[in-house]
Amino acid sequence: MNEPSWWQTGVIYQIYPRSFMDTNDDGVGDLAGIRARLDYLQWLGVDALWLSPIQPSPMKDFGYDISDYCDVDPLFGRLDDLRDLLDDLHARGMKLVLDFVPNHTSDQHPWFLESRQSRDNSRHDWYLWRDPGPDGGPPNNWLSSFGGSGWAFEPRRGQYFFHAFLEEQPDLNWRNPAVREAMLEQMRFWLELGVDGFRIDVIWHLVKDEQFRDNPINPDFRPQTGDHNRLLTTYSADQPEVHEVIRGFRQLLDQYPQRMMVGEIYLPLERLMSYYGSAGDGVHLPFNFQLIRHPWDAEAIAATIDRYEAALPAGGWPNWVLGNHDNHRLATRVGAQHCRIAAFLLLTLRGTPTLYYGDEIGMQDVPVPAEAVQDPVEGRMPGLGLGRDPERSPMQWDDGPFAGFSRVRPWLPIAADHVQVNVASLRSSPTSLLNLYHQLIAIRRAEPALALGHYRRFATPPQVLGYLREHNERRLLVLLNFSAQAQEVALGMAEGRICLSSLLDRPAQTVAESVTLRAHEGLLLDLTCE
């Protein structure tokens, strides 16, 4: 293969800026706070930071409703603070990836303020406007992902506009060439500033059906998943023309050395793979969420990994994610006892791993009382557990009153377990989960077999996941015990050496013919033939 890019060999670390570190005592994280914690992030070993949106916004959806694409919201600082962060990161050999939200703007964006005024202004068709249906109601049955109809009426135009999310987040009309060109200019602004890439929000939503046909009923709908799942998004997302838009993004990024983009895509595997494009004209990494809502079972996970690997197109680089700002915390989903093998899984599979802030210390969902709820999803679809506040709680830095995140009460509650589960305490404990992440990332960086090597399944008992990572003469074996009992695995060879145990207590131990894994233990073994 050609010389790998940084985004192929590196580890990406997602930061939700509101919740990482507050330096100006307003209870909300800021860019200066991220800069203040760069020593920690460099020690952890991550190669790139992905920041959830920091652009100006009314914060109806906490930054995913942008009112100015080319600046920084005062809540997080100034544009100069972003420049300083970039300079500091680049000086440390690290990269910065920004969230880019092209599907919709805020309803306070100047483009929409003009568009909503009349049917004949210069931006009248920059958004998705439609006349009322025959009954005077919405023009079709499309739903909002945040509940209710996806259409809102604008009296000044006598028309409805479509919003795939909140009413305050009107969708842009990506069939309009002027919109495409304007958005490329917004991207160019950040590329010229020096950012290293973009995570493109809901990229599969960008283009809608030209005829605005009704979406079909979802035959697998379950009420507990939310009314927004009552219909399939056949005509309101994942249209063939979206790949033309992505091609334009890629052509722009390719004008700048070593830039990349990740696409947020919640689609079945076969549709996900189409977003790699062909001949290098798709997104570099279509986000792979195959495991983020997956049953925590060795055999099922092994089958999913095999399907994903088999589906990758020629030249497609894999990636893996176990946590993000829209899903319950990893430790909450899999249980604290499985966090160590989850770390092993994420950091030893083939492809680029993305780590969500706080997962490295085992942060769990934080209960949020009704009076403290911030997320609009919880307000629109209460009682279904779809609110995203619990996984967005402040980073737990130490055992102080506000976990070292702030000197005042934060915007979301602090976890009750922060006295024990925090960076300061766990960093000083040699066998902690945090130190496991630190060592796994260091080994990944030092071992081409982990960063670049081939993936191949290895025969194991039913409750153990095993796979080989091979590069040139190096053969490394990963074994993950998903069970609460010890498991013996035959190695089928004379001898191997344990490089790392998830419990951090078996250094350089030699094993012959077989190895025994303790309950919930992960092992990395060197099987390289002498």
Side-chain angles (χ1 to χ4, degrees):
M1 63 183 296
N2 297 328
E3 186 70 20
S5 298
W6 64 265
W7 51 267
Q8 294 176 297
T9 59
V11 175
I12 300 174
Y13 185 94
Q14 182 192 355
I15 289 176
Y16 196 69
R18 297 179 67 92
S19 295
F20 199 64
M21 182 71 200
D22 170 26
T23 60
N24 63 354
D25 299 333
D26 64 356
V28 177
D30 44 54
L31 293 175
I34 297 171
R35 287 185 69 202
R37 296 296 185 175
L38 289 185
D39 284 347
Y40 164 73
L41 294 167
Q42 189 167 34
W43 168 84
L44 182 60
V46 298
D47 300 276
L49 306 184
W50 153 32
L51 306 187
S52 292
I54 46 84
Q55 294 91 342
S57 167
M59 298 295 168
K60 297 293 184 180
D61 190 23
F62 299 106
Y64 286 94
D65 51 321
I66 291 175
S67 56
D68 182 350
Y69 282 94
C70 298
D71 205 347
V72 169
D73 194 285
L75 187 69
F76 302 121
R78 301 171 301 137
L79 190 57
D80 282 344
D81 294 314
L82 193 283
R83 291 191 179 98
D84 290 341
L85 176 60
L86 258 175
D87 289 345
D88 285 356
L89 285 168
H90 289 166
R92 295 168 183 260
M94 299 168 73
K95 308 292 185 181
L96 182 65
V97 176
L98 289 187
D99 229 314
F100 190 70
V101 187
N103 178 69
H104 47 265
T105 69
S106 164
D107 64 351
Q108 298 306 304
H109 195 290
W111 298 345
F112 187 73
L113 293 177
E114 181 177 355
S115 186
R116 76 189 313 171
Q117 291 300 317
S118 67
R119 301 191 188 196
D120 58 3
N121 64 76
S122 63
R123 292 193 173 90
H124 71 279
D125 59 349
W126 279 42
Y127 295 82
L128 297 174
W129 296 100
R130 301 292 287 175
D131 290 334
D135 62 352
N140 66 22
N141 70 349
W142 294 358
L143 300 173
S144 163
S145 295
F146 286 177
S149 173
W151 295 95
F153 188 69
E154 172 50 65
R156 280 166 284 196
R157 291 183 55 132
Q159 289 182 307
Y160 285 86
F161 65 87
F162 180 68
H163 54 94
F165 299 94
L166 294 176
E167 182 176 336
E168 294 87 354
Q169 295 170 290
D171 282 33
L172 285 158
N173 176 16
W174 275 91
R175 293 183 181 274
N176 184 336
V179 170
R180 297 191 188 190
E181 186 56 38
M183 292 301 283
L184 288 174
E185 285 304 308
Q186 318 306 299
M187 296 179 79
R188 193 186 308 275
F189 171 85
W190 294 108
L191 292 168
E192 290 290 333
L193 199 69
V195 303
D196 301 286
F198 300 104
R199 175 266 190 185
I200 312 292
D201 185 60
V202 296
I203 196 169
W204 84 107
H205 272 265
L206 294 186
V207 180
K208 281 73 172 176
D209 178 52
E210 196 166 21
Q211 300 176 50
F212 290 86
R213 286 170 284 187
D214 277 355
N215 277 327
I217 292 172
N218 179 1
D220 300 318
F221 171 64
R222 292 173 293 120
Q224 60 269 31
T225 65
D227 186 65
H228 62 296
N229 286 313
R230 181 166 45 84
L231 303 176
L232 299 175
T233 57
T234 304
Y235 297 113
S236 56
D238 191 31
Q239 300 301 295
E241 296 87 346
V242 73
H243 299 287
E244 298 173 13
V245 174
I246 293 171
R247 192 173 299 119
F249 291 165
R250 183 65 180 265
Q251 289 170 353
L252 174 61
L253 265 70
D254 286 349
Q255 296 173 25
Y256 297 82
Q258 290 292 305
R259 302 306 208 274
M260 61 85 78
M261 60 174 164
V262 182
E264 183 195 22
I265 305 161
Y266 285 93
L267 286 174
L269 186 61
E270 65 277 6
R271 294 300 308 141
L272 174 70
M273 292 301 166
S274 70
Y275 283 77
Y276 279 104
S278 59
D281 62 359
V283 298
H284 297 88
L285 299 176
F287 247 148
N288 172 22
F289 301 124
Q290 300 297 303
L291 298 181
I292 208 166
R293 297 173 181 173
H294 200 284
W296 198 246
D297 172 83
E299 292 185 85
I301 288 175
T304 294
I305 295 169
D306 288 348
R307 283 195 299 271
Y308 178 81
E309 282 278 349
L312 283 165
W317 186 251
N319 70 96
W320 297 95
V321 186
L322 288 180
N324 64 23
H325 62 294
D326 287 332
N327 290 277
H328 294 300
R329 281 273 181 189
L330 174 61
T332 297
R333 298 195 324 267
V334 307
Q337 73 273 23
H338 288 284
C339 283
R340 290 174 181 264
I341 61 170
F344 251 78
L345 183 67
L346 179 66
L347 293 166
T348 62
L349 281 171
R350 188 175 82 95
T352 304
T354 298
L355 171 63
Y356 186 49
Y357 85 97
D359 280 355
E360 74 272 24
I361 59 173
M363 284 177 59
Q364 300 196 41
D365 284 1
V366 176
V368 179
E371 66 274 12
V373 166
Q374 304 288 327
D375 185 14
V377 171
E378 181 65 25
R380 293 169 65 96
M381 294 185 283
L384 297 178
L386 302 177
R388 300 163 296 176
D389 290 337
E391 60 262 24
R392 299 176 176 183
S393 61
M395 182 67 171
Q396 295 159 206
W397 294 106
D398 59 37
D399 61 0
F402 301 118
F405 165 77
S406 179
R407 289 182 292 189
V408 301
R409 188 170 301 281
W411 75 289
L412 281 175
I414 296 287
D417 68 359
H418 81 273
V419 175
Q420 298 81 31
V421 181
N422 63 73
V423 169
S425 297
L426 296 181
R427 188 169 174 179
S428 65
S429 173
T431 59
S432 69
L433 177 65
L434 175 57
N435 274 300
L436 174 62
Y437 270 94
H438 171 64
Q439 291 196 36
L440 279 167
I441 293 172
I443 291 175
R444 183 183 180 88
R445 176 173 284 125
E447 283 283 2
L450 290 180
L452 298 170
H454 298 291
Y455 164 91
R456 183 158 57 93
R457 280 281 295 281
F458 188 86
T460 60
Q463 298 187 74
V464 177
L465 172 59
Y467 48 90
L468 288 161
R469 300 298 315 283
E470 300 167 310
H471 183 75
N472 295 333
E473 300 301 317
R474 295 289 284 163
R475 295 178 69 237
L476 300 180
L477 174 62
V478 178
L479 298 172
L480 306 176
N481 183 4
F482 281 66
S483 76
Q485 291 79 40
Q487 300 282 342
E488 185 175 5
V489 179
L491 299 180
M493 61 170 295
E495 188 174 280
R497 182 177 62 86
I498 295 177
C499 302
L500 186 68
S501 163
S502 62
L503 303 176
L504 298 177
D505 61 354
R506 294 168 78 167
Q509 182 180 350
T510 299
V511 294
E513 298 183 1
S514 69
V515 63
T516 298
L517 287 84
R518 291 165 289 178
H520 307 305
E521 183 179 22
L523 289 179
L524 178 65
L525 293 90
D526 182 358
L527 302 187
T528 304
C529 297
E530 297 295 336

CSV table of all heavy atoms in Angstrom, one decimal, residues 203-234:
chain,number,residue,atom,x,y,z
A,203,ILE,N,-24.5,13.2,7.0
A,203,ILE,CA,-24.2,13.5,5.5
A,203,ILE,C,-25.2,12.7,4.6
A,203,ILE,O,-25.4,13.2,3.5
A,203,ILE,CB,-22.7,13.0,5.3
A,203,ILE,CG1,-22.2,13.6,3.9
A,203,ILE,CG2,-22.6,11.5,5.3
A,203,ILE,CD1,-20.7,13.5,3.7
A,204,TRP,N,-25.8,11.6,5.1
A,204,TRP,CA,-26.7,10.9,4.2
A,204,TRP,C,-28.0,11.6,4.1
A,204,TRP,O,-28.8,11.2,3.2
A,204,TRP,CB,-26.8,9.5,4.7
A,204,TRP,CG,-27.8,9.2,5.8
A,204,TRP,CD1,-29.0,8.6,5.7
A,204,TRP,CD2,-27.7,9.5,7.2
A,204,TRP,NE1,-29.7,8.4,6.9
A,204,TRP,CE2,-28.9,9.0,7.8
A,204,TRP,CE3,-26.7,10.1,8.0
A,204,TRP,CZ2,-29.1,9.1,9.2
A,204,TRP,CZ3,-27.0,10.2,9.4
A,204,TRP,CH2,-28.1,9.7,10.0
A,205,HIS,N,-28.3,12.6,4.8
A,205,HIS,CA,-29.5,13.4,4.7
A,205,HIS,C,-29.5,14.5,3.7
A,205,HIS,O,-30.6,15.1,3.4
A,205,HIS,CB,-29.8,14.0,6.1
A,205,HIS,CG,-30.6,13.2,7.1
A,205,HIS,ND1,-32.0,13.2,7.2
A,205,HIS,CD2,-30.2,12.2,7.9
A,205,HIS,CE1,-32.4,12.4,8.1
A,205,HIS,NE2,-31.3,11.8,8.6
A,206,LEU,N,-28.4,14.8,3.1
A,206,LEU,CA,-28.3,16.1,2.4
A,206,LEU,C,-29.2,16.3,1.3
A,206,LEU,O,-29.8,17.4,1.1
A,206,LEU,CB,-26.8,16.3,1.9
A,206,LEU,CG,-25.7,16.4,3.0
A,206,LEU,CD1,-24.4,16.7,2.3
A,206,LEU,CD2,-26.1,17.5,4.0
A,207,VAL,N,-29.5,15.3,0.5
A,207,VAL,CA,-30.3,15.4,-0.7
A,207,VAL,C,-31.6,14.6,-0.5
A,207,VAL,O,-31.6,13.5,0.0
A,207,VAL,CB,-29.6,14.9,-2.0
A,207,VAL,CG1,-30.5,15.1,-3.2
A,207,VAL,CG2,-28.3,15.7,-2.2
A,208,LYS,N,-32.7,15.3,-0.8
A,208,LYS,CA,-34.0,14.7,-0.7
A,208,LYS,C,-34.6,14.3,-2.1
A,208,LYS,O,-34.2,14.9,-3.1
A,208,LYS,CB,-35.0,15.6,0.0
A,208,LYS,CG,-34.8,15.6,1.6
A,208,LYS,CD,-33.6,16.3,2.0
A,208,LYS,CE,-33.5,16.5,3.5
A,208,LYS,NZ,-32.2,17.1,3.9
A,209,ASP,N,-35.6,13.5,-2.1
A,209,ASP,CA,-36.3,13.1,-3.3
A,209,ASP,C,-36.9,14.4,-4.0
A,209,ASP,O,-37.5,15.2,-3.4
A,209,ASP,CB,-37.5,12.2,-3.0
A,209,ASP,CG,-38.3,11.8,-4.2
A,209,ASP,OD1,-37.7,11.3,-5.1
A,209,ASP,OD2,-39.5,12.0,-4.1
A,210,GLU,N,-36.6,14.4,-5.3
A,210,GLU,CA,-37.0,15.6,-6.1
A,210,GLU,C,-38.5,15.8,-6.2
A,210,GLU,O,-39.0,16.9,-6.3
A,210,GLU,CB,-36.3,15.5,-7.5
A,210,GLU,CG,-36.4,16.8,-8.3
A,210,GLU,CD,-35.4,16.8,-9.5
A,210,GLU,OE1,-35.1,15.7,-9.9
A,210,GLU,OE2,-35.0,17.9,-9.9
A,211,GLN,N,-39.2,14.6,-6.1
A,211,GLN,CA,-40.7,14.7,-6.2
A,211,GLN,C,-41.4,14.8,-4.9
A,211,GLN,O,-42.6,14.9,-4.8
A,211,GLN,CB,-41.2,13.4,-7.0
A,211,GLN,CG,-40.6,13.3,-8.4
A,211,GLN,CD,-41.0,12.0,-9.0
A,211,GLN,OE1,-42.2,11.6,-9.0
A,211,GLN,NE2,-40.1,11.2,-9.5
A,212,PHE,N,-40.6,14.7,-3.8
A,212,PHE,CA,-41.1,14.8,-2.4
A,212,PHE,C,-42.2,13.8,-2.2
A,212,PHE,O,-43.3,14.1,-1.6
A,212,PHE,CB,-41.7,16.2,-2.2
A,212,PHE,CG,-40.6,17.3,-2.1
A,212,PHE,CD1,-40.1,17.9,-3.2
A,212,PHE,CD2,-40.1,17.6,-0.8
A,212,PHE,CE1,-39.1,18.9,-3.1
A,212,PHE,CE2,-39.1,18.6,-0.7
A,212,PHE,CZ,-38.6,19.2,-1.9
A,213,ARG,N,-42.0,12.6,-2.6
A,213,ARG,CA,-42.9,11.5,-2.4
A,213,ARG,C,-43.0,11.1,-0.9
A,213,ARG,O,-42.1,11.2,-0.2
A,213,ARG,CB,-42.5,10.3,-3.3
A,213,ARG,CG,-42.8,10.4,-4.7
A,213,ARG,CD,-42.2,9.3,-5.6
A,213,ARG,NE,-40.7,9.5,-5.7
A,213,ARG,CZ,-39.9,8.7,-6.5
A,213,ARG,NH1,-40.5,7.7,-7.2
A,213,ARG,NH2,-38.6,9.0,-6.5
A,214,ASP,N,-44.2,10.6,-0.6
A,214,ASP,CA,-44.4,10.1,0.8
A,214,ASP,C,-43.5,9.0,1.1
A,214,ASP,O,-43.2,8.1,0.3
A,214,ASP,CB,-45.8,9.6,1.0
A,214,ASP,CG,-46.8,10.7,1.3
A,214,ASP,OD1,-46.4,11.9,1.4
A,214,ASP,OD2,-48.0,10.4,1.3
A,215,ASN,N,-43.0,9.0,2.4
A,215,ASN,CA,-42.2,7.9,2.8
A,215,ASN,C,-43.1,6.7,3.2
A,215,ASN,O,-44.2,6.8,3.7
A,215,ASN,CB,-41.4,8.2,4.1
A,215,ASN,CG,-40.1,9.0,3.7
A,215,ASN,OD1,-39.5,8.7,2.7
A,215,ASN,ND2,-39.7,9.9,4.6
A,216,PRO,N,-42.6,5.4,2.9
A,216,PRO,CA,-43.4,4.2,3.3
A,216,PRO,C,-43.4,3.9,4.8
A,216,PRO,O,-42.5,4.4,5.5
A,216,PRO,CB,-42.7,3.1,2.5
A,216,PRO,CG,-41.3,3.6,2.3
A,216,PRO,CD,-41.4,5.1,2.2
A,217,ILE,N,-44.3,3.2,5.2
A,217,ILE,CA,-44.4,2.7,6.6
A,217,ILE,C,-43.3,1.8,6.9
A,217,ILE,O,-42.9,0.9,6.1
A,217,ILE,CB,-45.8,2.1,6.8
A,217,ILE,CG1,-46.9,3.1,6.7
A,217,ILE,CG2,-45.8,1.4,8.2
A,217,ILE,CD1,-48.3,2.5,6.8
A,218,ASN,N,-42.7,1.9,8.1
A,218,ASN,CA,-41.7,1.0,8.6
A,218,ASN,C,-42.3,-0.2,9.1
A,218,ASN,O,-43.0,-0.2,10.2
A,218,ASN,CB,-40.8,1.7,9.6
A,218,ASN,CG,-39.7,0.9,10.2
A,218,ASN,OD1,-39.5,-0.3,9.8
A,218,ASN,ND2,-39.0,1.4,11.2
A,219,PRO,N,-42.1,-1.4,8.5
A,219,PRO,CA,-42.8,-2.6,8.9
A,219,PRO,C,-42.2,-3.1,10.3
A,219,PRO,O,-42.8,-3.9,10.9
A,219,PRO,CB,-42.5,-3.6,7.8
A,219,PRO,CG,-41.2,-3.1,7.1
A,219,PRO,CD,-41.3,-1.6,7.2
A,220,ASP,N,-41.0,-2.6,10.6
A,220,ASP,CA,-40.4,-3.1,11.9
A,220,ASP,C,-40.5,-2.1,13.0
A,220,ASP,O,-39.8,-2.2,14.0
A,220,ASP,CB,-38.9,-3.4,11.6
A,220,ASP,CG,-38.7,-4.5,10.6
A,220,ASP,OD1,-39.4,-5.5,10.6
A,220,ASP,OD2,-37.8,-4.3,9.7
A,221,PHE,N,-41.4,-1.1,12.8
A,221,PHE,CA,-41.5,-0.1,13.8
A,221,PHE,C,-41.9,-0.6,15.2
A,221,PHE,O,-42.8,-1.5,15.3
A,221,PHE,CB,-42.6,0.9,13.4
A,221,PHE,CG,-42.9,2.0,14.4
A,221,PHE,CD1,-42.0,2.9,14.9
A,221,PHE,CD2,-44.2,2.0,15.0
A,221,PHE,CE1,-42.3,3.8,15.9
A,221,PHE,CE2,-44.6,2.9,15.9
A,221,PHE,CZ,-43.6,3.8,16.4
A,222,ARG,N,-41.2,-0.1,16.2
A,222,ARG,CA,-41.6,-0.4,17.6
A,222,ARG,C,-41.7,0.9,18.3
A,222,ARG,O,-40.8,1.8,18.3
A,222,ARG,CB,-40.5,-1.2,18.3
A,222,ARG,CG,-40.3,-2.7,17.7
A,222,ARG,CD,-39.1,-3.4,18.3
A,222,ARG,NE,-37.9,-2.8,17.8
A,222,ARG,CZ,-36.9,-2.3,18.7
A,222,ARG,NH1,-37.1,-2.3,20.0
A,222,ARG,NH2,-35.8,-1.8,18.2
A,223,PRO,N,-42.9,1.1,19.0
A,223,PRO,CA,-43.2,2.4,19.7
A,223,PRO,C,-42.0,2.9,20.6
A,223,PRO,O,-41.8,4.1,20.7
A,223,PRO,CB,-44.5,2.2,20.4
A,223,PRO,CG,-45.1,1.1,19.7
A,223,PRO,CD,-44.0,0.2,19.2
A,224,GLN,N,-41.4,2.0,21.3
A,224,GLN,CA,-40.3,2.4,22.2
A,224,GLN,C,-39.1,3.1,21.5
A,224,GLN,O,-38.3,3.7,22.2
A,224,GLN,CB,-39.9,1.3,23.1
A,224,GLN,CG,-39.3,0.1,22.4
A,224,GLN,CD,-40.3,-1.0,22.0
A,224,GLN,OE1,-41.4,-0.6,21.7
A,224,GLN,NE2,-39.9,-2.2,22.0
A,225,THR,N,-39.0,2.9,20.2
A,225,THR,CA,-37.9,3.6,19.5
A,225,THR,C,-38.2,5.0,19.1
A,225,THR,O,-37.3,5.7,18.6
A,225,THR,CB,-37.5,2.8,18.2
A,225,THR,OG1,-38.6,2.8,17.3
A,225,THR,CG2,-37.2,1.3,18.6
A,226,GLY,N,-39.5,5.5,19.3
A,226,GLY,CA,-39.8,6.8,19.0
A,226,GLY,C,-40.7,6.9,17.8
A,226,GLY,O,-40.4,6.2,16.8
A,227,ASP,N,-41.6,7.8,17.8
A,227,ASP,CA,-42.5,8.0,16.7
A,227,ASP,C,-41.8,8.3,15.4
A,227,ASP,O,-42.3,8.0,14.3
A,227,ASP,CB,-43.6,9.0,17.0
A,227,ASP,CG,-44.7,9.1,15.9
A,227,ASP,OD1,-45.4,8.1,15.8
A,227,ASP,OD2,-44.7,10.2,15.2
A,228,HIS,N,-40.6,8.9,15.4
A,228,HIS,CA,-39.9,9.3,14.2
A,228,HIS,C,-39.5,8.1,13.4
A,228,HIS,O,-39.2,8.2,12.2
A,228,HIS,CB,-38.7,10.1,14.6
A,228,HIS,CG,-37.7,9.4,15.4
A,228,HIS,ND1,-38.0,9.0,16.7
A,228,HIS,CD2,-36.4,9.1,15.2
A,228,HIS,CE1,-36.9,8.4,17.2
A,228,HIS,NE2,-36.0,8.4,16.3
A,229,ASN,N,-39.5,6.9,14.0
A,229,ASN,CA,-39.2,5.7,13.3
A,229,ASN,C,-40.4,5.0,12.7
A,229,ASN,O,-40.2,3.9,12.1
A,229,ASN,CB,-38.5,4.7,14.2
A,229,ASN,CG,-37.0,5.1,14.5
A,229,ASN,OD1,-36.3,5.5,13.6
A,229,ASN,ND2,-36.7,5.1,15.8
A,230,ARG,N,-41.5,5.6,12.7
A,230,ARG,CA,-42.8,5.0,12.2
A,230,ARG,C,-42.7,4.9,10.7
A,230,ARG,O,-43.3,4.0,10.1
A,230,ARG,CB,-43.9,5.9,12.6
A,230,ARG,CG,-45.3,5.4,12.2
A,230,ARG,CD,-46.4,6.2,12.9
A,230,ARG,NE,-46.2,7.6,13.0
A,230,ARG,CZ,-46.5,8.5,12.0
A,230,ARG,NH1,-47.1,8.0,10.9
A,230,ARG,NH2,-46.3,9.8,12.2
A,231,LEU,N,-41.9,5.7,10.0
A,231,LEU,CA,-41.8,5.7,8.6
A,231,LEU,C,-40.3,5.4,8.2
A,231,LEU,O,-39.4,5.8,8.9
A,231,LEU,CB,-42.2,7.0,7.9
A,231,LEU,CG,-43.6,7.5,8.2
A,231,LEU,CD1,-43.8,8.8,7.6
A,231,LEU,CD2,-44.7,6.5,7.7
A,232,LEU,N,-40.1,4.7,7.1
A,232,LEU,CA,-38.8,4.6,6.5
A,232,LEU,C,-38.4,5.9,5.9
A,232,LEU,O,-39.3,6.7,5.4
A,232,LEU,CB,-38.7,3.5,5.5
A,232,LEU,CG,-39.0,2.1,6.0
A,232,LEU,CD1,-39.1,1.1,4.8
A,232,LEU,CD2,-38.0,1.6,7.0
A,233,THR,N,-37.1,6.3,5.8
A,233,THR,CA,-36.7,7.5,5.2
A,233,THR,C,-36.3,7.3,3.7
A,233,THR,O,-35.3,7.9,3.2
A,233,THR,CB,-35.5,8.1,6.0
A,233,THR,OG1,-34.4,7.1,6.0
A,233,THR,CG2,-35.9,8.5,7.4
A,234,THR,N,-37.1,6.5,3.0
A,234,THR,CA,-36.8,6.2,1.7
A,234,THR,C,-36.6,7.4,0.8
A,234,THR,O,-35.7,7.4,-0.1
A,234,THR,CB,-37.9,5.3,1.1
A,234,THR,OG1,-38.1,4.2,2.0
A,234,THR,CG2,-37.6,4.9,-0.3
